[in-house]
């Protein structure tokens, strides 16, 4: 079951954090949710949060960390990368504190050698407080599959074909951007 929640309350306010943290906690508990995706994370921060100041980032993110610890839900914040060069660890928008606060950081981009691996998207580990294993990255390709929906109408959906690929460092993955 997947649910899109883009507003809360009687006024249908756009969800922002930390303002709506309690509403998220209640939804997680009542819905029995296991995973929450916040896409894009920056779009869902209160407008008063200065994303370049580490102390403000901590104040905004800490309540979400508490929700995760209290309920057991996994919260995945999607953060876009800057186009400029530099180390992979510094390529995300906003303060480095976003990266520092997370347990794991996954980087997703096209395989750096599209000539040999056309259409292959790679997921590689940028940071992990949970595992030191960096021996492999994971790759996938999307393909279209035709089927009938619940009402018997023909439709197309994306299917994922997974592949194991040798370790690709975050720098290798991001050098192409």
């Amino acid at each position: 079951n997947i649910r899109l929640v883009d507003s809360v309350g009687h006024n249908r306010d756009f969800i922002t954090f930390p303002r709506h943290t309690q509403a998220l906690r209640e939804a997680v508990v009542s819905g029995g949710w296991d995973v929450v995706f916040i896409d894009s994370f920056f779009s869902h921060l209160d407008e008063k949060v200065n994303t370049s100041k580490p102390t403000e980032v901590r104040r905004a993110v800490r309540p979400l960390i508490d929700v995760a610890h209290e309920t057991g839900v996994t919260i995945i914040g999607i953060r876009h990368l800057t186009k400029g060069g530099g180390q992979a660890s510094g390529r995300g928008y906003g303060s480095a504190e976003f990266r520092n606060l997370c347990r794991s950081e996954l980087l997703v981009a096209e395989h750096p050698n599209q000539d040999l691996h056309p259409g292959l998207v790679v997921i590689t580990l940028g940071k992990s407080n949970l595992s030191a294993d960096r021996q492999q990255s994971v790759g996938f390709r999307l393909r279209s599959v035709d089927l009938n929906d619940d009402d018997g109408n023909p439709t197309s959906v994306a299917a994922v074909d997974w592949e194991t690929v040798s370790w690709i460092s975050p720098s290798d993955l991001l050098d192409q951007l």
Side-chain angles (χ1 to χ4, degrees):
N1 293 325
I2 298 173
R3 291 182 176 74
L4 172 65
V5 180
D6 58 0
S7 62
V8 293
H10 299 294
N11 296 333
R12 305 219 17 103
D13 294 332
F14 182 73
I15 296 174
T16 60
F17 300 105
R19 179 177 176 212
H20 295 112
T21 303
Q22 184 58 33
L24 175 66
R25 178 183 283 109
E26 291 168 6
V28 166
V29 170
S30 68
W33 297 355
D34 296 316
V35 180
V36 171
F37 288 87
I38 302 173
D39 183 14
S40 106
F41 193 77
F42 279 73
S43 297
H44 291 280
L45 289 175
D46 291 340
E47 60 188 38
K48 294 179 182 176
V49 175
N50 184 336
T51 59
S52 63
K53 290 190 173 182
T55 54
E56 290 193 32
V57 169
R58 282 191 177 275
R59 255 184 295 223
V61 174
R62 185 71 223 180
L64 293 172
I65 293 170
D66 292 342
V67 168
H69 284 243
E70 293 164 11
T71 65
V73 70
T74 298
I75 298 177
I76 299 172
I78 298 173
R79 183 168 76 138
H80 297 274
L81 301 172
T82 62
K83 301 256 188 257
Q87 290 189 323
S89 61
R91 294 281 301 274
Y93 283 108
S95 167
E97 209 59 23
F98 286 102
R99 183 177 194 269
N100 297 342
L101 289 168
C102 69
R103 292 287 173 240
S104 296
E105 177 184 66
L106 300 175
L107 298 168
V108 181
E110 288 184 334
H111 192 286
N113 189 341
Q114 283 293 298
D115 291 338
L116 289 177
H117 304 280
L120 185 64
V121 177
V122 175
I123 303 171
T124 196
L125 188 62
K127 171 197 172 182
S128 177
N129 292 353
L130 306 173
S131 170
D133 183 18
R134 294 184 181 207
Q135 301 303 311
Q136 295 182 14
S137 298
V138 176
F140 68 90
R141 288 185 173 83
L142 297 178
R143 63 182 164 82
S144 182
V145 175
D146 295 326
L147 52 83
N148 292 329
D149 66 16
D150 292 341
D151 297 323
N153 300 314
T155 189
S156 294
V157 297
V160 178
D161 292 325
W162 293 99
E163 296 181 29
T164 300
V165 295
S166 60
W167 169 250
I168 296 175
S169 76
S171 296
D172 291 340
L173 198 60
L174 296 177
D175 282 346
Q176 68 187 349
L177 298 179

